[in-house]
C-alpha cells in the first residue's frame, strides 16, 4: 500500500458528494421491512402487558398496577442494583484488560499468540464458560480437589459461598472472561482501520512510553470504533440470564432471572409483572449506558489533561506485566474450565476430593450421539443462512450509504438494537403472536427470520465501524482511474474488508447457534438445534450431560471463527499488505 | 377477488373439518383417524433416560398405529404454556403446534382455568384407563386438589423420598423436628431447592404437613387467618433451620439436579427427590455413589401424579389420544417403572391386571436404593393450590431478599 495513503489526518474529512439515487436502496428497505415489523411486534408484546393489557388472560384495563407490584416485589432494589452493577463492572473490567493488553503488547509475539487463541475463547458459549468456571472454582471444584486433602486439610468441600455469592462477584468474573475475547476481537477487527503503526511510531518518536503512546495516539480513534460493541456488552451483561443462573446470586437474583421466573410461573397473572420487569430491564440498560457515557466524558477530560501535560510515562514495565498476566489469566480460566468440562463429559462417578474420576466412560457421548445428528444439521443450516443473509443485508445497506453519502438509514437501523435491550422471553411473546397470526411460525423461514432479528444487530455492529473507517480516498482514486461504483465495491471495499466481513459472519453464526428460545418458540419445536437439545438436556443438572452438550455447542462457532481467521489470509496470501494489524 | 374468496373459504372449511373432536368412546374411529398423523409431544427433556423411553414409545406407536411421535424437548413446561397462550391470543383455534404436553400441578390448573385444554373429558374414556388405580392412587383424579375432570391422562406417580449416603450417615432424621436437631449437630449439611422450584416447594409442603396444628385445614382454600395460624410453626422452624443450612441459607440450589450434585460431592448429607427410584437410576448413571439409600419421613410424604394433556387447538387430537392411551398401557407402564429404563412408578392397579401384565411388573428389579412399595409409607395429599401460592410468596418475602 502506498505510503502516501497512510499519512492521512487523524480525522478524515468525509468527502461531500451530491446524493445520487441508487437502486441499492432495496437493501435498507428490505432490512427495515423484514425486521422492523417483528421488532415492533416484539416490543409491543413486551410493553402492553406491563400496563395491564393482556386480553387472552382476562387483563383488559390499562393501569400501572404491574409497576406497583414490581416495586413491591421483595428485594427488588437489590435485584436492580445487581443488574446495573453487573453491566457496568463487567464492561469496565473487560475494557481495561483489553485496552491495557493491546496497548502494552501490540505488535509482540505474545500478542500474536493470544490472537490465535481467540477462536476457541469466543466459540465457547457463555453458559459453557460459566459452567467451566463453576466446576473449577466451586468449593467442590477441580481446584479444591487438586489441593485436598493434602494441602487444604478438607476431606469434604468447605462450606464457602463462592459461586452464587450475594454480591454477584463470581457472576461478574464469569462475564468478564467471556466479554474480554469479544472486545479483543472487535479491537482486532478495528486496529487495521485506525492505522496504529504510524501513530505509534510518531508517539514513540516523541518519547512516550509504549503504553502511553498507544493510549494517547491510537486509543481515541480505536475507542470510537469500539463504542457500539461496548454498548452491546453493557446491555448484554445487564440482562444476562444463563450466566446469572449458573454463577449469580439467588437471594435475590439479578432482575433478568427474576423476570424469567415470573414469566415461567404457572400463575399466568404474573405475566404482567414480568412485562413490567422487562421494561425496568430496558431502563436499567439505558441507565447503564448513560452512566458509561458520563464516565467516558470524565475519562476523556482527564486524558486530555494528561496528553497536554507533557509527561511521557516511560516507566510502564509494571503495567505491561499486569495486563499480560490478567489477559493470560482470563484466557487460562476459560481454557481450564473447558478442559474440566471435557473431563466431566467422560467421567464415571467422581467423588470429592478425588482429582480424577473413578472410571472413564463414553456413556454420555454415546447417549448424546444418537440424538444429535439432526439437531446438528438444523443448527448448521439455520446459522449459515441467517448469518449469510445478515451480512449481505448489512453490506448492501452500508454500500447504499457509501454511494448516497448519507447516514440516515444506518441511524434508522439503530432501532434494530432494541431487541438486545429487552429480555428475550418478554420480547418473543409478541413476535411469536405475530408469526402465529400470520400462520408463519414453525417454518424454516420463520426461524431464520427470528434469528435474523438477533443476528443482524451483531453483524451490523461488527461491520459498520470498520466500514466507515475505511479511507474514502481509496474509492476516490479508483474512481479517478475510471472504475465504476460496482467495481469499487467488489474490487476495493470487499477485499480490504475481508477480515471484518469474515469476522462479522462468524459472529453472526455464533449468535445464531446460541439462540434457544427463538428457535424453540418460533420454530414451534419443529427445528431442534444443538442448543435447544443442550438447554433441555442440561436442565436435568447432570454434570456429564451439561459438560458434553456445552462442548458440542462450542464446536460449531469454533469452526466458524477459525475459518474466519484463516480465510482472508488464504484468499489474499499474495497480497501481504492486506494483512494489516497485529 | 375470486381467488381470495376461494382461499378464505378453503381456510374456513378446512377449519370446520378439523374442528370435529375425536370421541374416544368410538375408539376404532379414533385409531383410524390417528393413522398417519404426527404428534408433537412437548415434554421436559432434562433426562436422557426419559428421552430414550419416549423414543422407544415413538417406535412402538409408529409400528402399531402408524402414528409418528416427535418429542419436543423443553427445559421448562412454562415455555409450552407460553406457546399455547400466544396461539390463543393470535386467534389460532385450530392446527396448534402442541399436540400433547407432559404436565401437572399449577401449569395444569392455569391451562384449565384459562380454557386452553381440550374441553371435554377424553382421558377417562381411553381404553386403558380401566386399569388405572383410582381407589389406591386418588391423585390420578385430582391434580393439586383440582379435579382433573378427564382433561389429562395419568402417566406416572411421584412421591417425596429422602436420600442419604450410608458411608457418611447411619441414621437419618425422619421428621422435621429431628431434622432440625440433626442440623444443629451438623451445620451446613442440608439444604433445599429455592422455591418456587417445585421440589423446593414440595419440601415446604412436607414441612407444613408435619408441623401444622391441623393438617386437615390444608385441603381447604387458604385465607389470611388459616394461613397465618397453620404456617406459624413452619416459619418458626425455618427461621431456626436456615442459619444451619448449606451456605447458611444465603444461597439455595436451583433444582433437583443441583441437590443430587451436592449429595454426590458430599457437600450435603441428605437430599430428596420426587421419584422413589431416582437414587437407583442416578447410581446406574454414575451420578451418585452406590452407597446411597432412601427413606421416607415417619409421618408419610407428599405424593402426586403427573399427566398428559391435549391443548384446545391441537392439530393431531386423535393421534395424541392414541399416544396417551399407549403410554397408559400395562406394557408401557411396566417398562417405565424399570429403574434401568426410567424408574417412574405406575398409575395402574397392578394387582387387578391380567396375569400376563402383572408378570411384567413382578419381574422388575427396583434397584438397590429404591424402597419397595409397601415401605414407601403414607401418601400425603397435596394441599389446596392456594396454600402453595401463599407459601411461595411468603417465603420470597422472608428469605428470598437476603438477610
Amino acid at each position: 500500500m502506498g505510503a502516501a495513503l497512510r499519512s492521512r489526518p487523524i480525522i478524515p474529512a468525509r468527502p461531500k458528494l451530491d446524493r445520487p439515487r441508487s437502486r441499492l436502496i432495496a437493501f435498507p428497505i428490505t432490512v427495515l421491512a423484514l425486521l422492523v415489523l417483528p421488532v415492533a411486534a416484539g416490543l409491543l408484546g413486551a410493553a402492553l402487558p406491563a400496563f395491564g393489557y393482556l386480553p387472552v388472560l382476562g387483563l383488559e384495563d390499562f393501569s400501572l398496577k404491574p409497576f406497583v407490584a414490581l416495586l413491591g416485589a421483595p428485594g427488588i432494589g437489590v435485584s436492580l442494583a445487581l443488574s446495573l452493577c453487573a453491566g457496568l463492572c463487567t464492561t469496565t473490567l473487560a475494557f481495561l484488560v483489553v485496552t491495557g493488553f493491546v496497548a502494552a503488547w501490540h505488535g509482540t509475539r505474545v500478542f500474536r499468540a493470544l490472537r490465535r487463541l481467540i477462536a476457541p475463547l469466543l466459540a465457547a458459549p457463555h453458559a459453557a464458560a460459566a459452567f467451566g468456571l463453576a466446576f473449577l472454582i466451586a468449593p467442590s471444584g477441580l481446584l479444591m480437589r487438586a489441593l485436598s486433602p493434602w494441602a487444604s486439610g478438607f476431606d469434604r468441600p468447605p462450606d464457602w459461598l463462592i459461586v452464587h455469592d450475594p454480591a454477584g462477584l463470581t457472576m461478574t468474573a464469569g462475564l468478564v472472561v467471556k466479554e474480554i475475547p469479544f472486545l479483543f476481537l472487535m479491537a482486532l477487527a478495528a486496529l487495521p482501520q485506525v492505522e496504529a503503526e504510524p501513530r505509534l511510531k510518531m508517539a514513540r518518536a516523541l518519547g512516550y512510553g509504549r503504553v502511553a503512546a498507544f493510549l494517547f495516539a491510537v486509543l481515541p480513534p480505536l475507542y470510537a470504533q469500539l463504542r457500539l460493541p461496548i454498548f452491546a456488552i453493557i446491555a448484554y451483561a445487564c440482562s444476562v440470564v444463563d450466566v446469572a443462573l449458573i454463577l449469580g446470586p439467588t437471594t435475590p437474583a439479578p432482575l433478568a432471572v427474576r423476570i424469567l421466573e415470573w414469566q415461567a410461573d404457572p400463575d399466568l397473572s404474573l405475566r404482567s409483572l414480568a412485562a413490567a420487569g422487562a421494561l425496568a430491564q430496558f431502563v436499567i440498560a439505558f441507565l447503564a449506558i448513560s452512566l458509561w457515557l458520563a464516565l467516558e466524558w470524565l475519562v476523556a477530560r482527564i486524558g486530555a489533561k494528561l496528553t497536554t501535560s507533557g509527561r511521557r510515562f516511560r516507566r510502564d514495565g509494571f503495567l505491561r506485566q499486569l495486563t499480560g498476566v490478567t489477559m493470560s489469566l482470563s484466557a487460562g480460566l476459560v481454557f481450564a474450565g473447558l478442559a474440566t468440562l471435557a473431563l466431566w463429559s467422560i467421567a464415571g462417578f467422581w467423588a470429592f476430593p478425588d482429582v480424577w474420576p473413578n472410571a472413564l466412560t463414553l456413556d454420555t457421548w454415546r447417549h448424546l450421539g444418537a440424538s444429535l445428528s439432526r439437531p446438528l444439521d438444523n443448527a448448521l443450516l439455520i446459522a449459515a443462512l441467517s448469518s449469510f443473509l445478515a451480512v449481505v443485508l448489512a453490506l448492501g445497506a452500508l454500500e447504499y450509504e457509501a454511494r448516497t453519502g448519507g447516514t440516515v438509514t444506518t441511524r434508522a437501523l439503530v432501532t434494530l438494537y432494541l431487541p438486545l435491550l429487552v429480555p428475550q422471553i418478554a420480547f418473543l411473546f409478541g413476535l411469536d403472536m405475530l408469526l402465529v397470526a400470520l400462520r408463519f411460525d414453525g417454518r424454516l423461514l420463520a426461524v431464520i427470520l427470528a434469528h435474523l432479528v438477533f443476528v443482524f444487530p451483531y453483524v451490523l455492529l461488527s461491520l459498520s465501524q470498520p466500514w466507515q473507517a475505511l479511507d474514502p480516498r481509496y474509492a476516490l482514486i479508483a474512481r479517478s482511474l475510471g472504475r465504476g461504483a460496482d467495481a469499487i465495491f467488489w474490487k476495493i471495499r470487499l477485499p480490504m474488508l475481508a477480515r471484518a466481513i469474515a469476522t462479522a459472519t462468524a459472529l453472526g453464526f455464533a449468535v445464531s447457534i446460541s439462540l434457544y428460545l427463538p428457535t424453540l418458540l418460533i420454530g414451534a419445536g419443529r427445528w431442534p438445534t444443538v442448543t435447544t437439545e443442550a438447554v433441555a438436556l442440561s436442565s436435568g443438572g447432570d454434570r456429564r450431560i451439561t459438560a458434553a452438550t456445552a462442548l458440542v455447542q462450542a464446536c460449531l462457532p469454533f469452526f466458524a471463527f477459525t475459518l474466519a481467521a484463516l480465510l482472508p489470509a488464504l484468499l489474499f496470501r499474495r497480497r501481504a499488505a492486506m494483512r494489516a494489524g497485529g | 377477488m375470486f381467488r381470495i374468496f376461494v382461499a378464505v373459504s378453503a381456510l374456513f372449511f378446512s377449519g370446520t373439518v378439523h374442528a370435529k373432536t375425536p370421541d374416544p368412546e368410538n375408539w376404532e374411529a379414533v385409531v383410524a383417524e390417528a393413522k398417519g398423523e404426527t404428534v408433537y409431544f412437548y415434554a421436559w427433556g432434562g433426562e436422557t433416560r426419559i428421552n430414550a423411553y419416549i423414543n422407544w414409545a415413538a417406535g412402538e406407536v409408529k409400528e402399531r398405529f402408524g402414528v409418528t411421535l416427535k418429542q419436543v424437548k423443553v427445559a421448562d413446561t412454562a415455555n409450552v404454556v407460553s406457546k399455547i397462550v400466544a396461539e390463543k391470543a393470535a386467534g389460532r383455534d385450530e392446527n396448534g403446534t402442541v399436540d400433547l404436553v407432559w404436565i401437572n400441578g399449577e401449569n395444569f390448573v392455569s391451562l384449565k382455568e384459562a380454557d386452553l385444554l381440550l374441553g371435554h373429558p377424553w382421558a377417562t374414556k381411553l381404553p386403558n384407563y380401566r386399569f388405572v388405580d383410582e381407589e389406591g392412587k386418588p391423585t390420578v383424579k385430582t391434580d393439586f386438589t383440582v379435579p382433573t375432570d378427564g382433561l389429562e391422562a395419568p402417566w406416572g406417580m411421584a412421591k417425596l423420598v429422602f436420600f442419604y449416603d450410608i458411608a457418611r450417615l447411619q441414621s437419618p432424621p425422619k421428621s422435621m423436628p429431628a431434622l432440625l436437631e440433626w442440623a444443629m449437630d451438623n451445620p451446613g449439611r442440608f439444604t433445599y431447592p429455592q422455591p418456587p422450584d417445585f421440589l423446593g416447594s414440595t419440601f415446604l409442603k412436607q414441612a407444613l404437613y408435619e408441623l401444622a396444628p391441623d393438617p386437615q385445614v390444608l385441603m381447604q382454600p387458604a385465607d389470611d387467618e388459616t394461613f397465618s395460624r397453620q404456617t406459624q410453626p413452619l416459619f418458626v422452624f425455618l427461621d431456626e433451620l436456615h442459619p444451619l443450612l448449606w451456605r447458611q441459607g444465603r444461597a439455595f440450589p436451583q433444582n433437583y439436579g443441583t441437590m443430587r450434585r451436592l449429595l454426590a460431592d458430599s457437600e450435603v448429607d441428605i437430599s430428596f427427590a420426587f421419584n422413589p427410584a431416582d437414587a437407583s437410576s442416578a447410581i446406574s448413571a454414575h451420578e451418585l455413589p452406590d452407597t446411597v439409600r432412601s427413606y421416607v419421613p415417619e409421618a408419610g410424604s407428599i405424593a402426586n401424579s403427573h399427566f398428559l394433556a391435549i391443548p384446545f387447538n391441537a392439530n393431531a387430537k386423535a393421534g395424541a389420544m392414541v399416544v396417551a392411551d399407549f403410554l397408559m398401557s400395562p406394557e408401557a407402564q411396566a417398562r417405565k417403572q424399570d429403574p434401568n429404563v426410567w424408574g417412574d412408578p405406575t398409575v395402574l392397579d397392578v394387582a387387578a391386571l391380567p396375569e400376563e401384565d402383572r408378570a411384567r411388573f413382578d419381574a422388575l428389579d427396583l434397584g438397590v436404593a429404591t424402597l419397595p412399595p409397601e415401605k414407601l409409607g403414607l401418601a400425603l395429599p397435596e394441599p389446596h393450590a392456594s396454600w402453595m401460592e401463599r407459601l411461595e410468596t411468603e417465603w420470597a418475602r422472608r428469605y428470598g431478599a437476603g438477610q
Side-chain angles (χ1 to χ4, degrees):
Chain A
M1 238 169 279
L5 279 182
R6 289 199 172 178
S7 59
R8 66 178 170 119
I10 286 178
I11 302 158
R14 192 174 275 282
K16 290 259 186 279
L17 301 168
D18 51 354
R19 309 192 55 186
R21 294 197 187 151
S22 166
R23 60 200 148 77
L24 290 179
I25 195 164
F27 282 98
I29 286 180
T30 312
V31 173
L32 290 173
L34 268 184
L35 298 186
V36 164
L37 195 60
V39 168
L43 292 176
L44 266 184
L48 285 180
F51 296 97
Y53 187 77
L54 193 55
V56 63
L57 300 179
L59 304 169
E60 289 178 345
D61 302 319
F62 283 92
S63 77
L64 290 175
K65 272 188 209 148
F67 290 99
V68 177
L70 178 70
L71 292 178
I76 191 68
V78 182
S79 293
L80 291 169
L82 277 169
S83 293
L84 187 67
C85 286
L88 284 175
C89 294
T90 302
T91 316
T92 309
L93 287 171
F95 179 74
L96 285 179
V97 173
V98 170
T99 35
F101 178 75
V102 175
W105 297 89
H106 181 252
T108 64
R109 273 225 312 270
V110 178
F111 190 81
R112 281 192 291 276
L114 263 155
R115 168 180 213 147
R116 254 174 244 128
L117 293 182
I118 195 149
L121 285 175
L122 270 169
H126 278 84
F131 275 123
L133 194 66
F135 293 179
L136 199 63
I137 65 167
S140 60
L142 196 59
L143 285 180
M144 190 54 84
R145 285 169 198 254
L147 294 173
S148 302
W150 59 275
S152 68
F154 296 125
D155 56 0
R156 315 178 52 150
D159 192 7
W160 294 342
L161 190 50
I162 301 176
V163 175
H164 301 305
D165 63 294
L169 300 179
T170 311
M171 171 177 77
T172 307
L175 284 167
V176 169
V177 295
K178 263 305 286 175
E179 293 314 323
I180 282 176
F182 173 68
L183 199 57
F184 187 47
L185 175 84
M186 291 292 124
L188 286 178
L191 269 174
Q193 315 298 330
V194 299
E195 296 178 336
E197 281 309 321
R199 287 163 187 271
L200 274 178
K201 274 185 193 141
M202 180 182 70
R204 294 302 297 276
L206 290 173
Y208 285 93
R210 189 181 188 96
V211 175
F214 185 93
L215 294 183
F216 290 156
V218 182
L219 187 59
L222 182 68
Y223 178 77
Q225 294 209 44
L226 291 182
R227 217 168 175 202
L228 268 184
I230 283 173
F231 290 171
I233 294 176
I234 298 177
Y236 179 83
C238 280
S239 61
V240 65
V241 172
D242 48 4
V243 178
L245 276 173
I246 299 161
L247 301 174
T250 68
T251 54
L255 183 63
V257 173
R258 301 191 68 182
I259 295 171
L260 188 75
E261 279 166 8
W262 293 326
Q263 189 84 34
D265 200 284
D267 179 1
L268 294 176
S269 66
L270 288 186
R271 298 282 162 120
S272 60
L273 178 59
L279 286 198
Q281 181 76 65
F282 194 78
V283 173
I284 287 284
F286 236 82
L287 187 64
I289 290 175
S290 312
L291 285 172
W292 178 268
L293 286 175
L295 204 68
E296 183 189 303
W297 178 84
L298 195 72
V299 172
R301 295 284 298 251
I302 296 170
K305 280 244 163 70
L306 282 179
T307 320
T308 51
S309 72
R311 292 175 62 189
R312 294 298 193 255
F313 304 98
R314 247 168 279 179
R315 305 176 73 181
D316 54 13
F318 172 71
L319 210 61
R320 293 194 66 196
Q321 300 303 327
L322 183 74
T323 54
V325 167
T326 34
M327 190 76 175
S328 321
L329 189 72
S330 114
L333 271 177
V334 177
F335 279 116
L338 290 178
T340 315
L341 290 182
L343 189 55
W344 266 109
S345 79
I346 51 167
F349 183 68
W350 189 359
F352 188 91
D354 301 348
V355 191
W356 198 253
N358 262 3
L360 297 182
T361 159
L362 286 175
D363 281 1
T364 310
W365 288 102
R366 223 171 291 139
H367 287 310
L368 278 183
S371 64
L372 276 187
S373 81
R374 197 167 92 86
L376 212 62
D377 292 346
N378 286 344
L380 219 58
L381 183 71
I382 294 167
L385 286 176
S386 59
S387 58
F388 176 73
L389 214 61
V391 169
V392 170
L393 289 174
L395 281 175
L398 290 167
E399 177 67 15
Y400 168 75
E401 309 238 300
R403 292 191 189 182
T404 56
T407 52
V408 184
T409 41
T410 26
R411 286 210 186 121
L413 295 186
V414 167
T415 50
L416 301 181
Y417 288 96
L418 292 177
L420 304 186
L421 299 181
V422 186
Q424 250 184 33
I425 177 90
F427 175 81
L428 279 168
F429 180 74
L431 177 57
D432 194 24
M433 243 171 74
L434 172 77
L435 292 176
V436 168
L438 294 173
R439 297 180 171 260
F440 193 51
D441 63 325
R443 296 171 198 222
L444 180 63
L445 214 57
V447 181
I448 291 174
L449 180 64
H451 277 224
L452 206 54
V453 170
F454 296 95
V455 169
F456 185 80
Y458 278 100
V459 167
L460 188 66
L461 180 93
S462 95
L463 260 187
S464 61
Q465 301 289 0
W467 177 281
Q468 268 147 25
L470 191 69
D471 194 326
R473 285 172 302 177
Y474 290 120
L476 286 182
I477 290 171
R479 192 156 274 231
S480 70
L481 292 173
R483 291 311 181 101
D486 288 347
I488 293 172
F489 176 75
W490 292 107
K491 299 223 160 125
I492 310 257
R493 290 210 181 93
L494 227 45
M496 292 200 71
L497 289 167
R499 185 187 288 281
I501 292 170
T503 303
T505 315
L507 189 65
F509 188 90
V511 170
S512 166
I513 290 289
S514 72
L515 292 175
Y516 168 69
L517 274 178
T519 321
L520 180 74
L521 289 181
I522 308 297
R526 274 35 166 185
W527 297 95
T529 65
V530 278
T531 298
T532 60
E533 290 283 312
V535 174
L537 279 168
S538 58
S539 66
D542 180 353
R543 263 178 293 206
R544 292 153 193 81
I545 300 274
T546 304
T549 53
L551 289 174
V552 172
Q553 257 184 299
C555 275
L556 296 179
F558 172 68
F559 291 130
F561 281 114
T562 312
L563 214 62
L566 294 179
L567 214 56
L570 273 177
L571 283 177
F572 305 115
R573 60 189 180 282
R574 287 162 196 279
R575 297 157 83 174
M578 308 264 311
R579 235 178 285 146
Chain B
M1 194 61 208
F2 178 68
R3 284 173 62 180
I4 294 175
F5 173 71
V6 170
V8 170
S9 51
L11 234 135
F12 179 74
F13 284 116
S14 71
T16 46
V17 169
H18 281 272
K20 197 167 70 69
T21 304
D23 176 11
E25 280 183 337
N26 186 357
W27 189 243
E28 277 171 27
V30 174
V31 172
E33 193 185 332
K35 192 164 187 183
E37 283 190 329
T38 299
V39 174
Y40 286 94
F41 177 23
Y42 282 62
W44 181 71
E47 195 93 61
T48 44
R49 287 187 290 274
I50 300 176
N51 297 341
Y53 174 75
I54 294 174
N55 197 33
W56 166 82
E60 296 299 309
V61 295
K62 178 84 195 174
E63 200 183 304
R64 296 179 197 197
F65 306 103
V67 174
T68 306
L69 175 63
K70 291 200 169 163
Q71 182 192 2
V72 177
K73 294 171 192 138
V74 293
D76 191 335
T77 307
N79 295 334
V80 190
V81 175
S82 267
K83 185 73 192 169
I84 301 171
V85 170
E87 291 187 347
K88 173 84 173 181
R92 181 190 283 181
D93 294 340
E94 287 296 324
N95 305 318
T97 47
V98 185
D99 294 312
L100 192 64
V101 54
W102 180 14
I103 201 168
N104 83 337
E106 293 168 283
N107 280 317
F108 166 72
V109 175
S110 289
L111 287 182
K112 186 186 177 199
E113 282 174 357
D115 287 327
L116 295 172
L117 293 175
L118 186 57
H120 67 91
W122 57 275
T124 41
K125 294 178 189 159
L126 296 177
N128 279 317
Y129 190 84
R130 66 180 187 275
F131 299 125
V132 171
D133 190 2
E134 284 193 345
E135 294 270 301
K137 294 161 184 162
T139 55
V140 297
K141 282 190 304 185
T142 53
D143 197 352
F144 279 48
T145 70
V146 174
T148 62
D149 293 337
L151 300 183
E152 49 179 3
W155 191 23
M157 297 295 295
K159 192 165 194 303
L160 187 66
V161 174
F162 288 74
F163 300 120
Y164 65 109
D165 186 346
I166 45 167
R168 297 199 302 267
L169 180 63
Q170 272 69 44
S171 52
K174 295 193 173 175
S175 70
M176 291 298 159
L179 176 68
L180 183 59
E181 218 167 281
W182 175 84
M184 284 174 183
D185 298 332
N186 301 276
R189 298 298 180 198
F190 179 75
T191 187
Y192 60 95
Q194 181 165 346
D197 170 77
F198 88 98
L199 188 64
S201 299
T202 305
F203 175 78
L204 292 186
K205 284 185 268 189
Q206 176 72 28
L208 178 61
Y209 252 104
E210 290 191 31
L211 300 169
D214 181 8
Q216 281 308 312
V217 183
L218 305 179
M219 305 308 296
Q220 309 303 319
D223 58 40
D224 288 347
E225 201 245 307
T226 53
F227 182 79
S228 73
R229 198 173 55 228
Q230 296 302 323
T231 58
Q232 195 261 342
L234 171 70
F235 285 112
V236 171
F237 166 77
L238 291 179
D239 284 341
E240 279 185 75
L241 181 67
H242 275 199
L244 305 169
L245 290 182
W246 176 81
R247 310 288 187 254
Q248 303 87 48
R250 292 194 297 148
F252 289 84
Q254 272 149 4
N255 49 37
Y256 171 61
T258 324
M259 289 286 290
R260 185 152 63 184
R261 200 147 87 194
L262 293 179
L263 183 65
D265 286 346
S266 49
E267 292 214 32
V268 299
D269 283 337
I270 298 173
S271 175
F272 49 91
F274 223 16
N275 173 356
D278 191 274
S280 293
S281 295
I283 290 171
S284 68
H286 317 293
E287 286 185 69
L288 287 177
D290 55 12
T291 43
V292 166
R293 296 293 178 269
S294 52
Y295 71 94
V296 282
E298 280 157 1
S301 67
I302 301 273
N304 71 19
S305 306
H306 47 96
F307 301 85
L308 302 169
I310 303 177
F312 75 107
N313 63 352
N315 183 44
K317 297 190 181 83
M321 286 177 188
V322 167
V323 171
D325 185 59
F326 173 74
L327 291 175
M328 217 194 277
S329 68
E331 184 189 352
Q333 289 274 317
R335 188 180 169 89
K336 182 161 64 76
Q337 189 161 332
D338 183 347
N340 295 313
V341 175
W342 173 356
D344 192 49
T346 181
V347 293
L348 305 183
D349 182 359
V350 176
L353 288 178
E355 175 100 33
E356 179 197 350
D357 286 326
R358 210 168 51 229
R360 293 177 196 273
F361 284 92
D362 293 341
L364 294 179
D365 172 11
L366 293 183
V368 58
T370 311
L371 296 169
E374 64 273 15
K375 287 199 179 162
L376 271 177
L378 203 60
L380 303 177
E382 294 276 357
H384 187 270
S386 55
W387 288 87
M388 199 61 262
E389 279 163 31
R390 282 170 182 258
L391 261 185
E392 285 170 359
T393 310
E394 185 61 16
W395 193 96
R397 194 182 68 76
R398 286 173 182 253
Y399 311 113
Q403 282 125 354

